[in-house]
């Protein structure tokens, strides 16, 4: 069967609180960053993205902050709900010719306590 | 709704028995990707097609092959599955677009299918 997986970093929050998930990226040339949400047994689902010429972008209940100086990305979820429980991956986009590659971070498990 | 579809959702095969996983898309994207994801790990890119051009990752084993007969379909073939190949296999698509102001190319975000969970007995 599968090899034993790693233990994911876990963030445990109370329902209604705000959540902040952090991510460090490695490539200074990355021009585009994406946050994905992955529920158990499903494929990653796009949440929000940000280009390198921005430092903040807001969506519905979610905000992404980009700090290029320290190569840090964060995802803020307002008023966290039980349905937000999932693994969250950041990904940096590296352009190679006319196609891109996504380099995924290790993922953070968000556990929302009712 | 436009989407990325993977079949089957669950696949069981025997050690060494070839298996094919299928991906189709209605997004009309020109780029299709295959990822392998093991438990509690990030997706790992195996290869991708830019239109008909195949791009293999350097560390993808020869045991993994792919075919893209047309824009909509892409297949992952595992020629001789081993126990270590048990994983979730994810298909994703994206489109290439031209940024007219800069004259450069960039690609849109990748959209993932639901995945196929492969079990090797």
């Amino acid at each position: 069967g599968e090899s034993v997986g790693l233990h994911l970093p876990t963030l445990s929050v109370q329902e209604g609180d705000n959540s902040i998930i952090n991510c460090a990226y490695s490539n200074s040339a990355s021009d585009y960053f994406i946050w994905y949400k992955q529920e158990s047994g499903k494929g990653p689902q796009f949440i929000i993205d940000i280009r390198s010429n921005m430092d903040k972008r807001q969506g519905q209940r979610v905000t992404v902050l980009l700090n290029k100086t320290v190569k840090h990305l964060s995802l803020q979820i307002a008023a966290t709900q039980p349905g937000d429980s999932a693994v969250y991956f950041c990904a940096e986009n590296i352009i190679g010719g006319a196609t891109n590659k996504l380099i995924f971070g290790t993922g953070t498990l968000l556990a929302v306590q009712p | 709704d436009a989407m990325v579809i993977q079949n089957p959702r669950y696949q069981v095969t025997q050690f060494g028995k070839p298996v094919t996983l299928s991906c189709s898309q209605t997004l009309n994207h020109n780029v299709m990707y295959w990822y392998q994801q093991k438990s509690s790990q990030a997706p790992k890119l195996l290869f991708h097609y830019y239109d008909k051009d195949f791009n293999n990752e350097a560390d993808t084993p020869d045991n993994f092959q792919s075919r893209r007969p047309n824009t909509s379909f892409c297949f992952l073939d595992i020629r001789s599955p081993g126990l270590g190949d048990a994983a979730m296999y994810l298909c994703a698509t994206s489109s290439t677009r031209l940024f007219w102001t800069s004259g450069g190319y960039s690609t849109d975000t990748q959209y993932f299918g639901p995945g196929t969970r492969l079990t090797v007995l």
Side-chain angles (χ1 to χ4, degrees):
Chain A
E2 282 188 47
S3 58
V4 175
L6 305 171
H7 287 290
L8 286 170
T10 299
L11 175 65
S12 185
V13 299
Q14 291 293 126
E15 181 178 357
D17 287 352
N18 297 334
S19 304
I20 300 176
I21 301 171
N22 296 303
C23 177
Y25 64 93
S26 57
N27 194 326
S28 300
S30 296
D31 70 327
Y32 177 52
F33 304 87
I34 308 164
W35 280 100
Y36 286 97
K37 172 186 179 183
Q38 188 173 26
E39 296 173 279
S40 181
K42 297 183 179 180
Q45 177 188 357
F46 171 85
I47 302 174
I48 192 168
D49 59 1
I50 189 168
R51 298 216 175 258
S52 59
N53 60 351
M54 303 170 70
D55 51 24
K56 180 179 180 180
R57 191 169 187 213
Q58 289 185 291
Q60 187 178 10
R61 281 202 307 120
V62 295
T63 301
V64 56
L65 300 178
L66 174 63
N67 185 331
K68 294 182 288 294
T69 303
V70 294
K71 292 191 280 189
H72 183 267
L73 198 64
S74 69
L75 177 70
Q76 300 177 3
I77 304 174
T80 312
Q81 301 168 1
D84 295 327
S85 294
V87 177
Y88 289 80
F89 289 100
C90 67
E92 58 181 309
N93 178 74
I94 299 172
I95 292 181
T99 59
N100 67 345
K101 285 187 180 183
L102 286 181
I103 306 298
F104 282 84
T106 53
T108 297
L109 174 62
L110 177 65
V112 181
Q113 310 300 324
Chain B
D1 287 341
M3 58 198 321
V4 182
I5 302 160
Q6 290 189 245
N7 286 305
R9 294 294 312 280
Y10 301 91
Q11 176 73 58
V12 180
T13 191
Q14 292 179 334
F15 182 94
K17 185 175 181 181
V19 66
T20 295
L21 309 182
S22 169
C23 177
S24 64
Q25 53 129 342
T26 60
L27 296 159
N28 202 33
H29 284 171
N30 57 343
V31 191
M32 294 186 77
Y33 306 80
W34 278 104
Y35 290 83
Q36 179 192 67
Q37 186 178 29
K38 297 192 175 181
S39 180
S40 298
Q41 296 183 25
K44 177 181 180 297
L45 181 64
L46 296 173
F47 27 58
H48 73 278
Y49 273 94
Y50 172 54
D51 290 329
K52 294 184 178 181
D53 293 333
F54 178 70
N55 298 271
N56 199 30
E57 292 301 298
D59 57 354
T60 298
D62 292 341
N63 198 27
F64 292 87
Q65 304 286 319
S66 187
R67 296 169 284 134
R68 189 179 185 187
N70 53 53
T71 301
S72 301
F73 285 87
C74 195
F75 300 100
L76 169 62
D77 300 309
I78 309 177
R79 295 192 295 187
S80 182
L83 298 179
D85 296 328
M88 174 79 91
Y89 289 88
L90 297 163
C91 175
T93 72
S94 70
S95 64
T96 303
R97 58 184 176 175
L98 179 66
F99 283 83
W100 296 105
T101 55
S102 66
Y105 285 94
S106 185
T107 50
D108 205 345
T109 192
Q110 293 185 24
Y111 294 93
F112 285 82
T116 295
R117 170 71 65 186
L118 178 68
T119 300
V120 182
L121 301 177

